[in-house]
Amino acid sequence: MVGMQQRSSEEAIHAGRARVLADLGAGAVAGPEEVSLLEEAVSHRRWWCDQWPEGAAFLPGLLAQDMQDALLERSGRWPLCPLCASEEPHALQVHPELGEDPYWVCEATGRTVAPVGGLPGDRHED
């Protein structure tokens, strides 16, 4: 059973990494520095998942939040809301903060934008 949990946790880590990387790419911010930041977050979350294997399903949302924090410190808000292009730029938020099947939400309007890993490419639709 332990081997199964480890494999399941590792699969969840890789799936979460792929989803966040897809969103970084959709916003054209998947450069070497950002990928390095993602790898740091993955490393930290691997330890976290080893401590709490049942939390593996929460990894995509946690990694997305980790990247938001890391990018805010280095380059600003990410990802920017594609729904409110004519207003003050603001970042999307991950909902639920700790839960399965996370999605991006525009907190200004309360509208769901996309699941984590499913952000549209860098375009604005009115």
Side-chain angles (χ1 to χ4, degrees), residues 5-77:
Q5 283 181 335
Q6 287 176 342
R7 193 174 113 207
S8 176
S9 295
E10 196 62 27
E11 288 172 358
I13 289 166
H14 288 289
R17 178 191 179 279
R19 290 174 69 179
V20 174
L21 189 58
D23 284 346
L24 288 167
V29 292
E33 183 178 349
E34 292 82 9
V35 172
S36 291
L37 291 171
L38 179 56
E39 293 306 324
E40 287 177 32
V42 165
S43 177
H44 171 75
R45 292 300 175 182
R46 183 173 281 119
W47 175 87
W48 180 87
C49 201
D50 286 345
Q51 305 305 307
W52 188 40
E54 297 82 17
F58 306 152
L59 287 171
L62 291 170
L63 287 170
Q65 291 172 35
D66 291 344
M67 285 305 298
Q68 284 188 300
D69 293 343
L71 290 172
L72 182 60
E73 293 175 12
R74 287 183 171 71
S75 57
R77 295 172 286 203

Side-chain angles (χ1 to χ4, degrees), residues 107-118:
E107 294 217 329
T109 65
R111 292 174 53 195
T112 298
V113 175
V116 169

